[in-house]
Amino acid sequence: MARTPTAHDPGPDLHTANVDDRPTGPDQGPDAPLPPTRRGPGLGPALVVGAIAVGLILVFGVLSVVSTGHTTTSPSVSTRPVAVAGSSLKAVPAVTGLGPIEQADTPPANILDSLTLPVGSTPVPHGHSVSNTNQYDGQMAFTASSTEATLVAFYRSELDRHGWKIVGVAPATGIPEGVEVLSEQAGSDGWYWEVGAVVSPTRFTGPAGVHQSTRFQLRLFEVPDAS
């Protein structure tokens, strides 16, 4: 027989019954694990893009430096042989060949860099000397398989091309039939410098004199102070 609710017994609580009567499962209880958190795309793609950008910057920077180096290289210090106007010879820098007479940055770099040698020139053994008592005075001897006239024309053209003022072309002192091309230029050390390209007469050797050899020397000296 059904029980009649009274004012003191209102009957079953429908809200409580609904909550208690909810079916529960392994994933719906109070201790069920939380669903996995969604992750964004991450830093991987951003790092790749950044690495590519840095690589491009480095590549363009290197190309810029190489390009700048090629456009600003001075022809006076180029190691490649250069054809000489008015001569059948080609010129190369003399700075290496004049090494035995260089002393403590003397002569100055701009003087050494403005001197050249004919391609194929050979230093004469023990053919160099340096005197530095008051002013520097050094000389270095070479031989070349060219004629005296060819070497004179070579130095007249090369000294003028590299900024030397040709003072004169005259017979060399103490060398019969030799010729000296004398020039001067201001050095970066504050002194004037002179160079004498002294060319000796050509020697012909071998059967019927078919082999030619000419000795020449470069003499560099610091001009004394006129005062």
Side-chain angles (χ1 to χ4, degrees):
M1 182 174 177
R3 183 170 172 238
T4 302
T6 62
H8 298 285
D9 185 10
D13 187 357
L14 295 179
H15 178 71
T16 303
N18 289 339
V19 172
D20 294 340
D21 294 341
R22 270 186 319 186
T24 60
D27 296 331
Q28 295 178 348
D31 296 328
L34 296 175
T37 303
R38 286 191 176 184
R39 295 185 180 180
L43 296 178
L47 292 177
V48 173
V49 173
I52 294 175
V54 171
L56 291 175
I57 292 173
L58 291 176
V59 169
F60 283 111
V62 170
L63 291 177
S64 175
V65 170
V66 171
S67 175
T68 303
H70 282 301
T71 57
T72 59
T73 300
S74 171
S76 64
V77 295
S78 172
T79 57
R80 293 183 300 176
V82 177
V84 178
S87 172
S88 59
L89 301 176
K90 291 186 177 182
V92 291
V95 61
T96 301
L98 296 176
I101 63 173
E102 183 181 0
Q103 294 185 343
D105 298 327
T106 303
N110 77 305
I111 294 298
L112 291 174
D113 289 344
S114 63
L115 294 172
T116 58
L117 292 170
V119 171
S121 299
T122 304
V124 174
H126 311 293
H128 64 275
S129 63
V130 178
S131 174
N132 201 11
T133 305
N134 294 316
Q135 274 81 31
Y136 175 94
D137 186 350
Q139 57 187 3
M140 185 88 187
F142 303 86
T143 58
S145 57
S146 304
T147 65
E148 177 184 11
T150 301
L151 288 171
V152 170
F154 174 91
Y155 275 106
R156 292 189 68 166
S157 176
E158 279 296 278
L159 291 172
D160 179 71
R161 184 172 77 92
H162 288 282
W164 290 86
K165 177 183 178 182
I166 297 180
V167 178
V169 180
T173 303
I175 302 177
E177 300 183 32
V179 178
E180 179 179 19
V181 182
L182 183 63
S183 305
E184 66 178 9
Q185 184 175 178
S188 58
D189 60 349
W191 294 86
Y192 266 91
W193 287 77
E194 289 186 351
V195 60
V198 182
V199 185
S200 299
T202 302
R203 296 177 58 190
F204 295 92
T205 59
V210 295
H211 300 294
Q212 60 189 21
S213 176
T214 305
R215 177 176 173 139
F216 67 96
Q217 66 182 22
L218 294 180
R219 181 187 177 193
L220 277 164
F221 49 98
E222 193 176 36
V223 178
D225 191 345
S227 60

